[in-house]
Amino acid sequence: MPGILYLCATPIGNLEDMTFRAVRILKEVDLIAAEDTRNSIKLLNHFEIKTPMTSYHEYNKIEKGHKLVERLLSGEDIALITDAGMPGISDPGEELVKMCQEAGVQVTAVPGACACVTALTISGLSTRRFAFEAFLPTDKKERQAVLEELKSETRTVVIYEAPHRLVRTLSILQETLGNRRISICRELTKKHETVFATTIEEALLYYENQEPKGECVMVIEGKSREEIRNEERAGWEEMSIPDHMDHYLSQGMDRKTAMKQVAKDRGVGKREIYQALLEE
């Protein structure tokens, strides 16, 4: 029988967030695949875990992934851990999970700390719906494409950022998204954990004079539907009513339905559209 791949969450700052189950699984498996063995050995030593360890990271995820799947198929159980948090979240572990599913290997999660959810819950912003973007792409064109998508995002947005890039990223966010509410969460679960609830503009002014320290999670307010409707309405109002009508008629709408849609777009009554067309 094939073994099992366990995705084991590790602390994101406070060692006490390690679960009893995670410690037990890490002791029982045949092998631990770690993002950085030099970092993970400190965690394993703290909990007196003697299980053999191997590296699995972004730069060897394909080659090492195949080897790990072979070992799993031979009956070994393997635990995958990242430097901090849940494997597979903004992490090459997602590739290993895909490989295991294709090979018929069982994958299960040993849940625990996750910076994304931790920051979201203490941000003071809406938690019902959110979009997780992890780190923005380093490629300028790809990053701009993502930001263009986020312009009209109504869900709360969660983005990771390193301290030395925070000011630049805040500047880009202000330019692209405008001055939205933001909570910048730093040093999560650690002694000096902070939640800076502010606006993008105020955060930029603050960190231009105060050097940011520690990994950051930015939780950004989504765009309100009312704001989107107002922008759409303003766009329609720049178009003449006959052109607005032609826009829908060219799509195959009948005249009555088109008039109704034009009135809805512009936030006016259908009679007003009818009268305007008569006057043309």
Side-chain angles (χ1 to χ4, degrees), residues 60-153:
N60 71 353
K61 62 184 179 182
I62 303 302
E63 180 185 358
K64 179 58 72 71
H66 287 301
K67 293 179 180 178
L68 293 175
V69 170
E70 288 177 7
R71 296 185 67 160
L72 286 158
L73 289 172
S74 71
E76 292 187 35
D77 290 331
I78 298 177
L80 178 67
I81 60 175
T82 184
D83 283 348
M86 194 71 206
I89 302 296
S90 185
D91 172 81
E94 64 178 327
E95 295 293 338
L96 183 56
V97 172
K98 290 177 187 176
M99 289 182 181
C100 287
Q101 287 185 341
E102 291 169 358
V105 172
Q106 181 183 349
V107 179
T108 189
V110 182
C114 178
C116 168
V117 175
T118 301
L120 180 66
T121 56
I122 63 177
S123 68
L125 297 174
S126 175
T127 61
R128 191 175 71 85
R129 299 169 61 249
F130 69 95
F132 176 57
E133 283 295 336
F135 289 93
L136 290 174
T138 54
D139 179 79
K140 188 175 180 180
K141 287 185 178 179
E142 189 179 351
R143 182 175 64 243
Q144 192 58 40
V146 170
L147 291 169
E148 286 297 321
E149 292 175 357
L150 294 179
K151 273 186 178 181
S152 56
E153 179 59 70

Side-chain angles (χ1 to χ4, degrees), residues 2 6 154 166:
Y6 294 91
T154 59
L166 183 62

Side-chain angles (χ1 to χ4, degrees), residues 9 93 99 111 124 158 249 262:
M99 289 182 181
V158 182
L249 291 172
V262 169

